Amino acid sequence: MIDKNFPTLVIATDSDLLEKIYSNIEEIKARRGPILAIATKGNKTIGRLADDVIYIPKTLEQTAPILQIIPLQLFAYYIALLRSRR
C-alpha cells in the first residue's frame, strides 16, 4: 500500500509511543513513501525522518489532540478545495 506516490500523514508529537512512531516512519521511508508529519516544536529527530513537518507548540499530552486537529482540519479543507469538493 505504500509507494512513492502515496503520502503518509503521521502524528509524531511527544508521547510514550514516540520511539515506535519513529520506527513506523522508518519502515515507510524504506518503501520510499513520502512522509508529512505533525510534531512537537523542538523535535529535531522528526526533521531528518519526514519529508515535511508541521510543528505545534509543546503542551501536555492530554491536551495535544486539541492542537493536532487544527493542521489536520486545515489539510482536509485545502485538499477538498483542490479537488473541488466543498
Side-chain angles (χ1 to χ4, degrees):
M1 302 286 303
I2 294 175
D3 65 26
K4 64 182 178 180
N5 300 315
F6 192 84
T8 303
L9 192 116
V10 177
I11 298 174
T13 53
D14 292 343
S15 74
D16 295 337
L17 301 175
L18 192 55
E19 292 300 320
K20 291 184 183 209
I21 294 169
Y22 290 156
S23 176
N24 292 338
I25 292 171
E26 288 172 353
E27 287 193 29
I28 294 167
K29 293 302 283 183
R31 291 171 176 79
R32 293 188 171 88
I35 304 285
L36 170 61
I38 296 174
T40 307
K41 189 174 181 178
N43 182 334
K44 294 183 185 349
T45 304
I46 198 70
R48 71 174 177 79
L49 293 174
D51 298 302
D52 294 296
V53 183
I54 299 170
Y55 290 101
I56 62 171
K58 287 185 181 243
T59 187
L60 298 173
E61 188 174 351
Q62 297 85 350
T63 59
I66 297 167
L67 295 177
Q68 295 164 356
I69 197 67
I70 296 168
L72 291 172
Q73 286 289 327
L74 288 170
F75 182 77
Y77 172 75
Y78 285 111
I79 292 297
L81 286 179
L82 286 172
R83 300 190 76 200
S84 298
R85 306 238 162 89
R86 295 177 199 190

